[in-house]
Amino acid sequence: MNCRHCETELHHVFADLGHCPPSNSMLNAQQLEEPELNYPLKTYVCHNCFLVQIGEVKKAVEIFGSEYTYFSSYSTSWLNHARRYVDMMMERFGYNQDSLVIEAASNDGYLLQYFREHGVPVLGIDPTANTARIAAGKGIRTLVDFFTTKLARELASSDQKADLIIGNNVLAHVPDINDFVGGMHVALKPGGVVTMEFPHLLNLVEKCQFDTIYHEHYSYLSLSTVNRIFASQGLTVFDVQELPTHGGSLRIFARHTADTTKPVTEAVRDLLAREREAGMLTLEYYQDFQPRIDTVRTDFLEFLLEQKRLGKRVAGYGAAAKGNTLINYCGIQGTGLIEFVADASPYKQDKYLPGSHIPVLAPEMIREEKPDYVVILPWNLREEIAEHLDFINEWGGQFVVAIPQLEVFSYAPSTNRVAQV
């Protein structure tokens, strides 16, 4: 296997999470009786450009198909994040009715709807037909396709170059990252701006966020490596913001390298220096990750087994991809250690998690079943979820997160704070 950016042969394993099904491949009852395909979940680090990456063991066109079950609009905090971004970009760059904003991986229109409220023309591009259908219902013009250099040329030839190209949590999802970034160069107006958001590899390593590794995520990104990839395609990263989303993300701002109107900020130079000082441009930085992963697995399994012995009931909340990585790596299949997982999305309810076959139910079932513990699987939303489920205090219920280390806590609604137990 060669690096998907620089084509260097890969030899160095970053994390090996065994074999499991794709994390968003929810199952219906009939599929429980059928064979389920598992794929290796092994990541490598390139010793030349330090891109951490997984092999394309299942084609992207199969993962992001018509039955894709992730809809962005079911997270209130994510919608608020999108609105704040739009307000910031409107103020900073002054888009208007003569502008065009294109979003790659636009999902259900969760973000473009806010540009549309400002009267700015928008175009969404997303390969998942079911999410695109929801976006179209909001009046957002959406192409059901992958964003590629080929599609970018078609847009450019039809006079649809963008003043702004957005990609939130998509850069890590593309198997051909050079083609994707090259397409942005083609589809961007000479004075245009690209913004991309992606989980920061620094946080993944420092906070042991191994559950963000799954088959949809082909790449795990530092600013240093992204800077290099963009430069290879004629784009320059001129600004960066550090965000709390997804356990710690970066938002980069890029322009055509030939565009001299947007100088590179001190924030870019500072973060590149921090990554270098942390050791991210050395192989040693990536080579002690696996033992830390195994510690998380051991601690979480011991907790669940202890509750089983004590006759306590454990449920989960959030049928998120990261939760499936954790559950499958821990081998929690058919054990009853987690009785069910609740999720707010009707597209996931009454289905089963891939691999573990844990049933996904409506959130109301937590109140009805009164579990002693609720494992918050999307730990990046722990405050939002704990506040939403604060009623578990009525029967002495407690919350659990497994990453970066096992934590049991209660939520105090009067103070909007968590209290560790």
Side-chain angles (χ1 to χ4, degrees):
M1 178 177 165
N2 294 337
C3 174
R4 56 174 38 93
H5 168 56
C6 69
E7 299 187 353
T8 300
E9 189 172 351
L10 298 175
H11 301 287
H12 306 282
V13 175
F14 172 62
D16 187 349
L17 302 179
H19 287 65
C20 61
S23 282
N24 272 317
S25 298
M26 307 289 286
L27 304 172
N28 58 38
Q30 180 180 343
Q31 289 172 312
L32 295 181
E33 307 302 322
E34 300 171 358
E36 187 175 13
L37 289 176
N38 286 256
Y39 301 87
L41 191 56
K42 183 186 288 189
T43 53
Y44 299 82
V45 58
C46 174
H47 63 267
N48 181 46
C49 70
F50 299 101
L51 177 63
V52 174
Q53 57 204 282
I54 191 173
E56 190 184 3
V57 294
K58 186 171 184 181
K59 299 296 182 185
V61 69
E62 299 173 22
I63 293 176
F64 302 105
S66 60
E67 298 304 314
Y68 191 63
T69 57
Y70 179 75
F71 291 76
S72 298
S73 293
Y74 284 99
S75 169
T76 302
S77 61
W78 188 242
L79 287 177
N80 292 336
H81 173 75
R83 185 187 286 276
R84 288 193 299 270
Y85 163 82
V86 170
D87 291 343
M88 180 270 295
M89 294 298 287
M90 290 295 298
E91 182 177 351
R92 182 170 179 178
F93 296 104
Y95 301 113
N96 56 40
Q97 67 273 12
D98 297 320
S99 307
L100 176 62
V101 174
I102 293 177
E103 184 180 12
S106 51
N107 200 264
D108 57 9
Y110 75 101
L111 185 148
L112 292 180
Q113 62 185 337
Y114 299 125
F115 276 112
R116 195 166 176 272
E117 286 178 2
H118 287 284
V120 179
V122 299
L123 172 63
I125 300 169
D126 198 287
T128 60
N130 49 352
T131 61
R133 190 160 49 247
I134 300 298
K138 299 174 182 176
I140 296 166
R141 186 166 61 102
T142 305
L143 297 178
V144 181
D145 206 343
F146 289 92
F147 183 86
T148 60
T149 295
K150 178 177 179 292
L151 179 61
R153 291 196 187 104
E154 293 172 3
L155 293 171
S157 65
S158 61
D159 197 28
Q160 295 188 84
K161 282 195 172 187
D163 297 272
L164 171 63
I165 298 177
I166 305 165
N168 286 347
N169 301 302
V170 61
L171 193 59
H173 289 67
V174 292
D176 191 341
I177 197 166
N178 292 337
D179 180 80
F180 182 83
V181 176
M184 291 189 288
H185 181 272
V186 171
L188 188 68
K189 288 180 181 177
V193 172
V194 171
T195 71
M196 294 275 125
E197 293 182 21
F198 50 86
H200 192 189
L201 179 59
L202 180 71
N203 289 300
L204 189 156
V205 175
E206 301 294 336
K207 300 177 182 178
C208 202
Q209 297 169 347
F210 72 90
D211 58 341
T212 60
I213 297 173
Y214 40 93
H215 296 108
E216 290 177 22
H217 284 175
Y218 295 104
S219 301
Y220 303 83
L221 302 162
S222 65
L223 178 61
S224 302
T225 298
V226 168
N227 198 44
R228 173 178 174 146
I229 294 169
F230 272 61
S232 75
Q233 302 300 320
L235 294 169
T236 296
V237 176
F238 69 89
D239 199 5
V240 63
Q241 297 172 346
E242 296 183 72
L243 308 171
T245 53
H246 296 285
S249 296
L250 298 182
R251 175 188 289 147
I252 62 162
F253 297 73
R255 55 164 167 81
H256 285 287
T257 300
D259 177 7
T260 60
T261 65
K262 304 174 186 69
V264 176
T265 65
E266 198 65 33
V268 173
R269 288 187 284 270
D270 287 348
L271 186 51
L272 290 173
R274 274 174 48 206
E275 289 186 349
R276 187 168 56 252
E277 290 163 7
M280 297 190 79
L281 302 184
T282 67
L283 270 178
E284 290 74 19
Y285 181 81
Y286 303 92
Q287 291 180 331
D288 69 339
F289 194 55
Q290 188 73 40
R292 296 167 58 206
I293 293 173
D294 294 340
T295 297
V296 171
R297 175 173 63 176
T298 300
D299 291 348
F300 187 46
L301 268 176
E302 286 180 349
F303 170 81
L304 293 175
L305 289 168
E306 177 66 13
Q307 304 320 311
K308 189 74 170 178
R309 283 191 289 268
L310 294 172
K312 302 292 187 180
R313 302 182 65 196
V314 180
Y317 189 92
K322 56 169 54 75
N324 288 326
T325 293
L326 173 67
I327 287 169
N328 285 317
Y329 186 56
C330 290
I332 304 170
Q333 288 102 1
T335 59
L337 295 179
I338 298 177
E339 295 183 18
F340 65 91
V341 171
D343 197 278
S345 171
Y347 298 95
K348 296 182 179 182
Q349 292 165 14
D350 300 320
K351 293 190 176 181
Y352 298 83
L353 298 185
S356 66
H357 299 176
I358 297 171
V360 181
L361 307 177
E364 295 74 34
M365 293 304 294
I366 290 180
R367 189 183 292 275
E368 185 172 324
E369 295 294 326
K370 296 181 171 55
D372 298 286
Y373 296 96
V374 175
V375 180
I376 298 178
L377 295 168
W379 43 259
N380 54 302
L381 301 176
R382 56 180 282 171
E383 297 287 344
E384 176 185 337
I385 292 170
E387 181 179 6
H388 181 62
L389 301 179
D390 64 5
F391 57 80
I392 74 170
N393 286 326
E394 296 170 9
W395 60 85
Q398 294 176 307
F399 297 104
V400 181
V401 292
I403 291 175
Q405 64 271 326
L406 187 72
E407 183 182 350
V408 180
F409 63 95
S410 299
Y411 183 79
S414 59
T415 60
N416 289 335
R417 296 183 58 156
V418 298
Q420 188 169 346
V421 178

